[in-house]
Amino acid sequence: MAVMSTYTRRRLTDAPFLAAATGATPSRRPVWFMRQAGRSLPEYRELRAGIGMLESCFDPELVCEITMQPIRRHGVDAAILFSDIVVPLKAAGIDLDIVPGVGPVVASPVRTHDDVRALPRLRPEEVHAVTEGVRLLTDALGQTPLIGFAGAPFTLASYLVEGGPSKHHERTKAMMHADPKTWHELLGALTDITIVFLQAQLAAGVDAVQLFDSWAGALSLADYRTFVLPHSERVFAEIADAGVPRIHFGVGTGELLGAMGEAGADVVGVDWRVPLTEAVRRVGAGKALQGNLDPAILFAGPEAVEAEARRIAREADQAITMGAAGHIFNLGHGVLPETDPGVLTALVELVHEL
């Protein structure tokens, strides 16, 4: 599948985020935060009052406004498209909803070969609301890059097989090992959906993409290599021609960093459990690193936040001397809902000075 026309993409030659992601020297240390748009912002809560999460994700004007909020408030170096990893599944016609306080819940979990065969495919026009949001954003953002994103096939599969969020992923792992043929067929179908979703965003003008494999940390390295890596590799290979930075991130994936680095991304996100100096050893030279302040530190007061931010900046600089292509400052996972937005704004200012 070829990437659709990308003529709308802006030329952001001076963007520090894109420089760090591609091995160039940024004018300052770039910073953005996963979940920077969302519940930590009072303006977001006000805007979303009475509007369902998925409804918001399919409203181009809302997508644009919510994505812009942290840019205006914090001055971060990249925007990330306001969406959800289950949006392409919903768009394709899978019956699911995002339940407040729970997360995505699937009406009819995928458990059998027939269930997999019955999965719909995604057509680009089914995510028109998302791509329209991207077009609005490329006008609104000026010189700030826009990151598109998708959930990785494994994480989407976990939601579909379990029927919702899961602590132990027991049904998912059981399918992998008991019926590998059905498992790989499921992952193949989800890989197709993910590629269509990312290609639609790229055609609309996103400047980078991030593939979230949120639950991959539940797997052993052997299981990851056998059951997940080939499908993630195909996602990255199919979008390589777009020529934009590709980021790969998962939570609790310290043991998988080497394999995740092999999947084809240009930037590997690191959670707070692994120092960046160790991450570069595991990922290998030649890729940029993103991360990795513990989101909980943001509750510890300004001195603690500054001390940790400085430590991470030092480790990042050391990682670059060890062969990392660059560093993008971020949290080791998403902004927690109760985070004081003022702490994030101050952190951005600090990182820009480091």
Side-chain angles (χ1 to χ4, degrees), residues 82-337:
F82 174 73
S83 188
D84 190 90
I85 61 172
V86 298
V87 159
L89 303 182
K90 181 74 172 180
I94 294 169
D95 187 0
L96 58 83
D97 197 12
I98 297 174
V99 178
V102 179
V105 175
V106 179
S108 301
V110 176
R111 303 269 166 82
T112 68
H113 191 247
D114 286 344
D115 294 339
V116 172
R117 281 285 167 91
L119 283 173
R121 294 298 187 260
L122 179 67
R123 300 191 308 274
E125 58 269 24
E126 291 170 325
V127 290
H128 173 74
V130 176
T131 56
E132 189 53 36
V134 171
R135 290 189 180 94
L136 293 174
L137 280 159
T138 56
D139 287 341
L141 278 165
Q143 293 299 299
T144 303
L146 175 62
I147 305 167
F149 82 90
F154 169 76
T155 290
L156 297 180
S158 175
Y159 281 119
L160 289 179
V161 175
E162 303 291 343
S166 171
K167 274 189 178 172
H168 305 294
H169 309 276
E170 59 269 34
R171 291 180 183 274
T172 308
K173 292 180 180 183
M175 182 193 282
M176 272 180 185
H177 288 276
D179 193 353
K181 184 174 183 292
T182 297
W183 172 260
H184 284 294
E185 197 167 320
L186 170 60
L187 269 276
L190 293 171
T191 298
D192 291 341
I193 286 174
T194 301
I195 290 166
V196 169
F197 189 45
L198 288 173
Q199 287 184 338
Q201 294 174 54
L202 286 161
V206 299
D207 306 291
V209 294
Q210 178 156 312
L211 191 68
F212 284 86
D213 213 346
S214 310
W215 303 130
L219 299 174
S220 69
L221 178 57
D223 281 357
Y224 179 83
R225 284 194 175 281
T226 302
F227 296 112
V228 177
L229 181 57
H231 304 282
S232 294
E233 281 179 326
R234 185 157 71 89
V235 173
F236 285 119
E238 289 280 357
I239 59 171
D241 287 352
V244 307
R246 297 160 296 167
I247 310 168
H248 202 11
F249 173 75
V251 190
T253 49
E255 298 303 321
L256 310 181
L257 283 174
M260 289 180 76
E262 292 168 25
D266 309 290
V267 183
V268 176
V270 184
D271 79 5
W272 66 92
R273 296 168 178 88
V274 178
L276 295 173
T277 45
E278 178 56 28
V280 69
R281 288 192 188 97
R282 297 181 188 187
V283 170
K287 293 183 187 293
L289 299 178
Q290 179 174 280
N292 64 342
L293 182 72
D294 186 338
I297 298 293
L298 299 174
F299 295 82
E303 288 179 7
V305 172
E306 178 169 350
E308 285 294 287
R310 288 185 181 280
R311 175 185 63 80
I312 287 162
R314 285 194 303 272
E315 288 177 1
D317 292 343
Q318 196 177 338
I320 290 169
T321 66
M322 295 166 68
H327 176 241
I328 298 159
F329 195 101
N330 206 314
L331 304 180
H333 195 201
V335 176
L336 296 166

